[in-house]
Amino acid sequence: MDSQGNIKTVEPLDANSRHFMKFRKNDSLFKNFIENLSKQFKDPFHFGLYRIVADKVEASVNVLWEMLQKPEENEDTIKLMQVNLEEYSLKEQLGKVDETRIDWEELSAIGLSREQLLDSGNLEKMLSWGKSNLVPITIPFGDRTIYTEARLAFRENAEGNLTLAIHTIRKEPKLDYPFMGVQFTGEDKTNLLTTGNLRRIAEVTPKNGEPFQAFVSIDPLTNELVALKSNRVRIPTEIKGVTLSQQQQEDLANGKAITVEGMQAKSGKTFDATLQINAEKRGIEFKFADSVKFSEAQNIRTRQQQGISSKICGVELSEKQQQALNKGRTLYIRNMTDKARQPFSAYVRFDTQENRPRFYRWNPDKKQGKAETVSMAEGHKTQVALSLNTVEFIIYILALDELIW
């Protein structure tokens, strides 16, 4: 009911199914009641949870009811009785991964050590049950060794044992095949490829598990599909100083995107953004008007995987520099080093045909005669051959990925 005592109703649509109490005609009254109570407890949407005195339930409920009739007057007392659901979030429940349970030999088998993960900052993420960034790994394959990149995470299997989950890079998301029992429609595929998110709630069924309602997104680093239980995400009533309407909250809860204007950044400036739940980020994702579309970002990442890395001749490139090179722009990069450890600076442009960076003494974008390629130490002369080997290796990896899939 609203503040005037009028009963609120919603249309009987799938999008509103989380509001309904559900009854099965062949089940007992007690079973139906317990199932609905359990559903609301796991996913409290319009309901608050309050502490009351165990041996004085009836009197406590009456007092609470009276206070809720005048919430403004009793705000402080209500807050003391109300249960803060954030205190019981998944992260708090799981705690940290116990390092004594980790099989470090399993990590050593793919060419990694605890020190490497610690130095890169990935160990902390993994100990919090999150995924690492992309890390280089080695995979024994017959009498050969495959070198690739993957995201790693610690997970518990059905027996409760701690295992290493390896999320390898896929050539593209597998949208033409069922994902945990979900067959994607044409609209679903468009949403996933353009935004990275399904933009609806899907009922997924894991292997040897119970079905559950979930948000579905694409991991932008590996092209892997990720599902997140819908009851693991708390839908806020306020974001960055802006109170969300009831409709906005419902749209977010159903996986849809909403536009929120006038939010306030830490700097004090106001900004507008499109918000939606992202399963990979395990929460709300902000997208701005000038953000690169998901599909365009994927193309950039694919080209980076094929040629441009985050480092050229010892110099770490920023994401903007990598994007600029991918778009065919020329950059002047200082203090690079060749294989003979000799420093040099040069204009750099990425050659998409030969899949390698080219180095110039003069800016090739300006009209000043034929651009002169910088001569390099012997180590640089092998770069072309290495690039061609890289192309062959990528083709091999993609074929292997299809086989493993």
Side-chain angles (χ1 to χ4, degrees):
M1 295 184 293
D2 62 21
S3 57
Q4 283 75 42
N6 300 313
I7 295 176
K8 296 180 182 179
T9 62
V10 294
E11 292 295 322
L13 304 173
D14 287 342
N16 298 323
S17 62
R18 66 200 311 266
H19 294 273
F20 305 150
M21 297 183 70
K22 299 180 181 180
F23 300 91
R24 297 181 177 86
K25 63 180 181 179
N26 295 324
D27 289 342
S28 67
L29 176 64
F30 179 73
K31 184 177 180 181
N32 275 313
F33 171 77
I34 292 297
E35 285 186 349
N36 280 287
L37 178 64
S38 175
K39 178 169 71 76
Q40 289 298 334
F41 181 79
K42 291 178 181 177
D43 187 13
F45 188 63
H46 286 304
F47 299 85
L49 298 179
Y50 299 89
R51 301 179 181 89
I52 59 174
V53 181
D55 58 352
K56 297 180 180 179
V57 173
E58 186 174 351
S60 297
V61 168
N62 289 334
V63 171
L64 176 61
W65 173 256
E66 290 176 4
M67 288 194 296
L68 290 173
Q69 303 311 302
K70 299 178 180 179
E72 293 82 8
E73 296 179 12
N74 301 290
E75 182 178 3
D76 293 338
T77 307
I78 291 174
K79 282 184 177 179
L80 290 175
M81 299 177 68
Q82 192 166 19
V83 177
N84 183 3
L85 296 176
E86 291 186 3
E87 296 176 2
Y88 302 91
S89 65
L90 176 67
K91 190 172 182 180
E92 293 296 326
Q93 292 176 31
L94 293 176
K96 291 279 188 177
V97 174
D98 183 358
E99 286 200 49
T100 61
R101 300 176 61 196
I102 299 173
D103 183 356
W104 295 108
E105 291 185 2
E106 188 178 16
L107 278 159
S108 179
I110 58 174
L112 289 172
S113 66
R114 183 185 185 282
E115 289 70 26
Q116 287 173 305
L117 292 176
L118 181 63
D119 292 342
S120 63
N122 286 304
L123 183 59
E124 183 63 28
K125 296 178 181 179
M126 295 173 66
L127 292 179
S128 298
W129 300 97
K131 288 182 185 178
S132 70
N133 296 326
L134 281 175
V135 296
I137 63 172
T138 59
I139 303 175
F141 189 72
D143 58 350
R144 300 182 181 183
T145 300
I146 297 174
Y147 300 88
T148 185
E149 289 184 306
R151 300 185 75 183
L152 308 177
F154 294 122
R155 294 290 181 264
E156 287 185 338
N157 58 22
E159 291 74 34
N161 298 318
L162 193 70
T163 61
L164 182 67
I166 302 176
H167 304 271
T168 55
I169 297 174
R170 290 156 172 75
K171 181 175 64 175
E172 57 187 19
K174 305 292 182 180
L175 304 183
D176 293 328
Y177 303 93
F179 169 67
M180 298 174 73
V182 179
Q183 185 69 57
F184 296 122
T185 65
E187 183 180 359
D188 290 339
K189 295 175 185 178
T190 299
N191 287 337
L192 285 164
L193 291 174
T194 55
T195 71
N197 301 303
L198 185 60
R199 287 195 165 182
R200 70 176 176 89
I201 296 293
E203 184 171 84
V204 301
T205 307
K207 290 182 180 179
N208 305 318
E210 294 294 325
F212 60 87
Q213 300 291 306
F215 300 102
V216 178
S217 301
I218 297 174
D219 183 332
L221 297 180
T222 64
N223 278 327
E224 180 184 27
L225 288 165
V226 180
L228 173 65
K229 288 185 177 180
S230 59
N231 60 14
R232 296 280 173 84
V233 179
R234 186 183 69 87
I235 305 300
T237 57
E238 180 182 307
I239 294 180
K240 303 290 185 181
V242 176
T243 300
L244 300 183
S245 68
Q246 191 65 47
Q247 186 62 52
Q248 287 176 314
Q249 294 177 53
E250 291 180 12
D251 285 345
L252 267 183
N254 288 314
K256 298 178 182 179
I258 64 170
T259 299
V260 180
E261 300 177 342
M263 290 180 286
Q264 190 171 45
K266 291 182 179 179
S267 62
K269 294 182 179 180
T270 58
F271 66 96
D272 307 333
T274 298
L275 278 54
Q276 61 189 100
I277 304 299
N278 183 282
E280 169 58 29
K281 295 182 178 179
R282 307 183 71 81
I284 295 176
E285 176 182 38
F286 288 70
K287 291 194 174 182
F288 304 95
D290 57 351
S291 298
V292 178
K293 290 184 179 179
F294 183 83
S295 54
E296 294 175 358
Q298 288 298 86
N299 288 335
I300 291 174
R301 290 188 185 96
T302 300
R303 291 177 62 183
Q304 289 174 348
Q305 291 166 10
Q306 293 176 344
I308 296 176
S309 65
S310 60
K311 182 183 290 187
I312 292 182
C313 298
V315 175
E316 288 285 349
L317 301 180
S318 67
E319 187 174 341
K320 286 186 177 181
Q321 287 176 314
Q322 293 176 57
Q323 291 179 6
L325 288 173
N326 270 302
K327 292 177 180 178
R329 291 174 55 189
T330 302
L331 299 180
Y332 187 74
I333 302 178
R334 301 175 183 274
N335 301 321
M336 294 181 285
T337 55
D338 57 24
K339 289 293 180 73
R341 299 195 177 186
Q342 295 297 316
F344 75 100
S345 301
Y347 288 95
V348 180
R349 176 194 283 173
F350 190 74
D351 189 326
T352 56
Q353 293 184 345
E354 294 193 10
N355 196 46
R356 72 180 184 94
R358 284 191 172 277
F359 304 83
Y360 301 91
R361 189 181 305 278
W362 311 109
N363 189 344
D365 295 336
K366 294 184 177 180
K367 295 180 180 180
Q368 50 190 12
K370 187 176 181 180
E372 181 182 356
T373 303
V374 175
S375 60
M376 295 172 286
E378 191 62 28
H380 281 312
K381 294 181 181 178
T382 63
Q383 211 161 12
V384 174
L386 286 174
S387 296
L388 293 176
N389 288 338
T390 301
V391 174
E392 294 172 358
F393 171 71
I394 289 170
I395 293 172
Y396 180 72
I397 286 294
L398 294 179
L400 177 63
D401 178 62
E402 295 291 342
L403 178 63
I404 292 174
W405 183 265

